Amino acid sequence: MPKKAIIPAGSGVPIAPFSPGTLADGIVYVSGTLPFDKHNQVVFPGDAAAQTRHVLETIKNVIETAGGTMDDVTFNSIFITDWNNYAAINQVYAEYFPGEKPARYCIQCGLVKPEALVEIASVAHIGK
């Protein structure tokens, strides 16, 4: 099965050996996305809502680069560092998925940089 790395214009170099996304058989797999700028610095320290918005905009950019939309997202894996941020993250998340919601799970864990409060990985079926 052929696959294609999805790297939106303006993307920085990842901090580990991965692509922002991969397209295979009409499915876009978006890597775990942290609230990083293109220099891998955490944006909006201490603000879970702003970090979530940044992460979801980054994911949206990967999916759109592959030819899809956020409506094509079928599954999200959400990682948070503190359950106290759960409501703020969900409020922003609901803006990006206003209709029928994708399946998902959410766990609390440590992330690669301590200032990062949220990480999301997505799967989208774009059928191309």
Side-chain angles (χ1 to χ4, degrees), residues 2-98:
K3 67 180 179 179
K4 177 184 176 189
I6 305 299
I7 305 169
S11 293
V13 176
I15 63 172
F18 65 88
S19 297
T22 302
L23 175 62
D25 200 25
I27 302 170
V28 181
Y29 301 91
V30 182
S31 293
T33 304
L34 290 150
F36 287 174
D37 63 17
K38 70 180 201 171
H39 304 290
N40 295 316
Q41 298 303 310
V42 175
V43 296
F44 310 111
D47 187 337
Q51 286 190 9
T52 302
R53 187 172 312 286
H54 182 85
V55 165
L56 289 168
E57 282 296 321
T58 302
I59 289 169
K60 180 180 175 186
N61 193 17
V62 172
I63 293 169
E64 288 178 350
T65 298
T69 70
M70 292 298 271
D71 284 338
D72 297 318
V73 174
T74 57
F75 190 79
N76 288 303
S77 303
I78 303 171
F79 309 91
I80 63 176
T81 59
D82 188 333
W83 288 119
N84 290 323
N85 295 322
Y86 190 65
I89 290 166
N90 278 328
Q91 183 174 358
V92 174
Y93 180 92
E95 294 172 20
Y96 284 81
F97 302 103

